[in-house]
């Protein structure tokens, strides 16, 4: 892809209008083929021509700065990582891109910047040293090392960066092979019993977060799925709740009109108590809209503040911890309400396949890794019942 690098310096560009907004149109060559890329500015057409032109100049300057040399020995590894970020941004969604930037800026770039290694000098030994150090003392709060899952995320990004260098013929071999990675840790899910969940629901009835907590317990939804619920997700006529929107935040909040995976797009029966809860919320929103008038924020989200502003992911996690502390309940993460829902299903006779479908796991091995021990306990009770029927 050397053609891509040269094209960044000789790029033919223009700003263009589409749907009443300015878009940057980049015409370049990749692998000998001409390609056109449209990049949104987010600027309305009216009165923003100068701003659009400025954004275009800044984008061109960034591409020119990012374009690497054709000699791996002349390129700092950190510079090439930044270049890779500009390339991969065109291939992945906003949430994945935020994750890549967070991981590189917090861990990879600082470590390799101190080393001063060039792209050609990065080898298996240096990458292994990086991963080993992060595994022993890589937490930003200084409280130990990163988890095996986080170590694999670091390795994955470095692997992608080096594969990009191979595609551009800067390297011939990816030194990420044969790395020693920590064994995958078996997830240790914390959860509430049915009794604890009932206490939580009783104590939290007057909390703004109550409808979200109850929905999480009943349906075992992810935080992103809860906050992504819109009124078009609830079919009151047929009593069906469908998961088809999500709201995620790493650096910035990202709203997506799709579920996490194909299996995450799923439907639930709208239980009578949940139907009443949602109808009550809908009526409250109508009244709040009347009271706030022009100040009301139209969003179509089920869970929002009185002025219509959607509830944010950070608020849910932070406030949930405060509620538990306020009512002297054992500390669990908000996500562990999802685990609690799964444990109730298993303890009441549901199999792992049924739990997988309810939670929207793409692979049953995920369900088994997290909840397999609960299934074993249930089978042990079944075995004891069977044994009591047999007399030798």
């Amino acid at each position: 892809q050397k053609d891509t690098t040269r094209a960044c310096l000789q790029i033919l560009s223009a700003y263009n209008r589409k749907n009443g907004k300015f878009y940057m149109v980049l015409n370049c060559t990749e692998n000998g083929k001409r390609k056109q890329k449209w990049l949104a500015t987010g600027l309305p057409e009216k009165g923003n021509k100068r701003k659009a032109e400025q954004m275009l100049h800044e984008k061109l300057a960034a591409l020119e700065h990012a374009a690497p040399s054709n000699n791996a020995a002349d390129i700092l590894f950190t510079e090439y990582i930044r270049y890779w970020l500009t390339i991969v941004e065109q291939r992945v969604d906003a949430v994945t891109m935020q994750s890549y930037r967070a991981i590189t800026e917090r861990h990879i770039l600082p470590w390799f910047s101190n080393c001063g290694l060039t792209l050609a000098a990065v080898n298996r030994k240096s990458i292994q040293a990086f991963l080993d150090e992060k595994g022993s003392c890589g937490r930003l709060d200084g409280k130990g090392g990163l988890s095996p899952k986080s170590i694999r995320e670091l390795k994955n990004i470095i692997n992608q960066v080096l594969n990009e260098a191979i595609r551009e013929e800067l390297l011939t071999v990816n030194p990420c092979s044969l790395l020693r990675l920590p064994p995958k840790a078996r997830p240790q899910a914390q959860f509430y019993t049915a009794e604890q969940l009932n206490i939580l629901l009783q104590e939290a009835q007057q909390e703004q977060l109550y409808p979200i907590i109850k929905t999480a317990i009943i349906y075992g939804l992810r935080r992103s799925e809860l906050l992504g619920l819109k009124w078009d997700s609830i079919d009151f006529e047929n009593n069906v709740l469908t998961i088809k929107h999500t709201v995620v935040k790493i650096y910035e909040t990202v709203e997506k009109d799709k579920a996490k995976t194909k299996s995450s797009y799923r439907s639930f029966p709208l239980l009578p108590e949940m139907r009443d809860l949602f109808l009550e919320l809908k009526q409250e929103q109508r009244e709040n809209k009347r009271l706030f008038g022009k100040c009301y924020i139209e969003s179509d989200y089920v869970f929002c503040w009185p002025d219509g502003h959607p509830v944010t992911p950070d608020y849910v996690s932070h406030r949930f911890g405060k509620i538990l502390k306020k009512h002297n309940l054992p500390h669990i993460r908000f996500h562990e309400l999802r685990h609690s829902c799964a444990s109730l299903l298993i303890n009441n006779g549901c199999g792992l396949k049924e739990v997988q479908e309810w939670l929207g796991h793409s692979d049953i091995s995920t369900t088994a890794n997290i909840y397999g021990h609960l299934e074993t306990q249930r089978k042990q009770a079944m075995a004891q019942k069977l044994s009591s029927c047999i007399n030798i």
Side-chain angles (χ1 to χ4, degrees):
Q1 290 191 342
K2 290 181 180 177
D3 290 341
T4 303
T5 302
R6 290 197 296 269
C8 289
L9 301 176
Q10 302 171 5
I11 214 154
L12 301 173
S13 311
Y15 59 88
N16 214 327
R17 299 179 183 88
K18 184 180 177 183
N19 298 328
K21 292 186 177 181
F22 281 106
Y23 282 71
M24 294 179 283
V25 184
L26 308 181
N27 299 290
C28 57
T29 304
E30 291 186 4
N31 295 324
K33 296 181 180 180
R34 184 172 177 176
K35 292 187 67 175
Q36 189 177 78
K37 296 180 181 179
W38 288 65
L39 304 178
T41 66
L43 298 173
E45 175 183 354
K46 187 175 181 180
N48 286 299
K49 180 179 179 181
R50 184 172 297 178
K51 287 183 180 179
E53 290 175 336
Q54 179 62 30
M55 287 184 70
L56 176 62
H57 294 321
E58 291 174 356
K59 183 65 178 178
L60 289 178
L63 289 171
E64 182 173 353
H65 177 73
S69 162
N70 288 330
N71 188 343
D74 296 335
I75 308 169
L76 285 174
F77 186 46
T78 50
E79 289 180 0
Y80 196 79
I81 292 172
R82 292 188 178 94
Y83 167 69
W84 171 80
L85 288 171
T86 67
I87 297 297
V88 78
E89 189 172 11
Q90 309 304 320
R91 306 173 188 161
V92 300
D93 64 26
V95 175
T96 302
M97 194 62 216
Q98 283 191 37
S99 176
Y100 285 167
R101 290 196 182 279
I103 293 171
T104 55
E105 291 173 6
R106 294 171 184 173
H107 297 286
I108 301 176
L109 288 173
W111 197 90
F112 283 97
S113 179
N114 289 335
C115 295
L117 293 173
T118 64
L119 180 60
V122 173
N123 55 28
R124 182 179 58 80
K125 186 176 180 180
S126 60
I127 299 172
Q128 187 69 64
F130 165 69
L131 296 179
D132 289 347
E133 181 174 318
K134 289 295 176 179
S136 62
C137 55
R139 288 183 49 146
L140 298 180
D141 60 7
K143 297 180 179 179
L146 298 179
S147 67
K149 180 176 181 290
S150 296
I151 296 298
R152 281 173 164 74
E153 290 173 348
L154 295 175
K155 184 258 183 182
N156 173 55
I157 288 181
I158 294 174
N159 185 59
Q160 289 191 62
V161 171
L162 295 173
N163 279 338
E164 185 69 32
I166 291 174
R167 277 191 290 269
E168 294 194 341
E169 299 179 10
L170 293 167
L171 297 176
T172 57
V173 177
N174 187 334
C176 270
S177 60
L178 302 178
L179 290 170
R180 298 185 306 275
L181 298 176
K184 291 183 179 180
R186 186 183 182 92
Q188 296 296 319
Q190 302 294 320
F191 51 86
Y192 272 4
T193 63
E195 181 182 2
Q196 289 172 316
L197 289 174
N198 283 321
I199 294 173
L200 170 61
L201 289 172
Q202 179 66 33
E203 298 292 350
Q205 282 191 47
Q206 303 305 315
E207 297 283 348
Q208 176 78 19
L209 210 61
Y210 175 77
I212 296 178
I213 292 174
K214 186 167 185 177
T215 308
I217 291 172
I218 297 296
Y219 294 116
L221 301 183
R222 302 175 177 93
R223 185 182 66 174
S224 61
E225 295 169 341
L226 285 161
L227 299 186
L229 282 179
K230 293 185 177 182
W231 290 114
D232 68 358
S233 304
I234 303 175
D235 183 348
F236 289 105
E237 182 176 346
N238 297 303
N239 291 321
V240 175
L241 172 68
T242 304
I243 305 305
K244 50 187 176 181
H245 310 286
T246 56
V247 173
V248 183
K249 179 178 181 181
I250 297 178
Y251 282 146
E252 300 175 352
T253 300
V254 177
E255 302 173 3
K256 300 169 69 174
D257 287 326
K258 63 179 182 179
K260 182 179 180 182
T261 62
K262 184 178 180 181
S263 56
S264 298
Y265 186 96
R266 61 204 190 279
S267 296
F268 299 95
L270 188 59
L271 301 177
E273 61 185 291
M274 298 307 298
R275 175 188 170 88
D276 292 343
L277 176 67
F278 290 134
L279 285 174
E280 184 179 338
L281 287 175
K282 198 170 184 65
Q283 179 58 37
E284 286 180 6
Q285 287 190 14
R286 290 196 192 100
E287 180 62 16
N288 287 331
K289 185 176 181 179
R290 183 186 68 81
L291 293 173
F292 278 85
K294 294 181 179 180
C295 296
Y296 190 81
I297 300 171
E298 298 284 355
S299 68
D300 199 37
Y301 282 105
V302 173
F303 300 120
C304 58
W305 292 99
D307 67 351
H309 194 275
V311 177
T312 62
D314 288 344
Y315 173 79
V316 172
S317 298
H318 180 73
R319 184 59 194 167
F320 181 70
K322 295 278 190 181
I323 292 172
L324 298 184
K325 187 174 181 180
K326 176 181 177 181
H327 298 290
N328 296 315
L329 291 166
H331 175 75
I332 60 172
R333 295 179 299 123
F334 181 82
H335 185 76
E336 286 165 335
L337 291 179
R338 177 172 162 85
H339 297 326
S340 302
C341 173
S343 72
L344 288 180
L345 291 172
I346 291 173
N347 289 333
N348 283 277
C350 297
L352 289 181
K353 184 62 179 175
E354 294 169 302
V355 174
Q356 176 203 355
E357 293 172 353
W358 190 267
L359 296 182
H361 287 156
S362 58
D363 192 331
I364 196 170
S365 63
T366 302
T367 317
N369 286 338
I370 301 174
Y371 308 112
H373 66 291
L374 297 177
E375 176 79 352
T376 301
Q377 292 172 9
R378 186 174 69 88
K379 288 181 178 178
Q380 180 65 32
M382 293 168 63
Q384 289 174 353
K385 291 179 181 179
L386 179 63
S387 177
S388 67
C389 298
I390 304 299
N391 294 316
I392 300 178

